[in-house]
Amino acid sequence: MLFNTRYMDAAITRLRADGFEVRDEDVSRLSPFVRHHINILGRYSFQLPDLPGGLRPLRDPPAVDEG
């Protein structure tokens, strides 16, 4: 869920920086929890590594549309 949260935030920030209208009321409905691959019944304990370079690059929507 942490992964989803970080990337959703990065994607929203990027969309806004690129001039797309991202309404706060739409963002308020997003949830990183609504994903089939998240196990909500277990306990997790992990250490987050310090990865060089931060997050992986986000996809470029125009490049995806052209492909």
Side-chain angles (χ1 to χ4, degrees):
M1 197 157 54
L2 176 61
F3 176 89
N4 289 354
T5 302
R6 296 265 329 260
Y7 276 89
M8 287 171 64
D9 179 63
I12 291 165
T13 300
R14 169 83 174 274
L15 287 169
R16 286 179 169 157
D18 289 348
F20 289 92
E21 179 185 3
V22 180
R23 301 181 317 178
D24 289 336
E25 57 268 24
D26 294 332
V27 173
S28 70
R29 290 191 168 100
L30 295 176
S31 172
F33 192 64
V34 187
R35 302 288 183 252
H36 68 278
H37 64 279
I38 297 176
N39 177 4
I40 62 171
L41 303 176
R43 289 184 169 228
Y44 301 92
S45 175
F46 54 91
Q47 297 289 327
L48 293 178
D50 290 328
L51 299 175
L55 299 175
R56 293 183 304 180
L58 297 170
R59 288 182 288 158
D60 183 9
V64 172
D65 291 340
E66 294 171 6

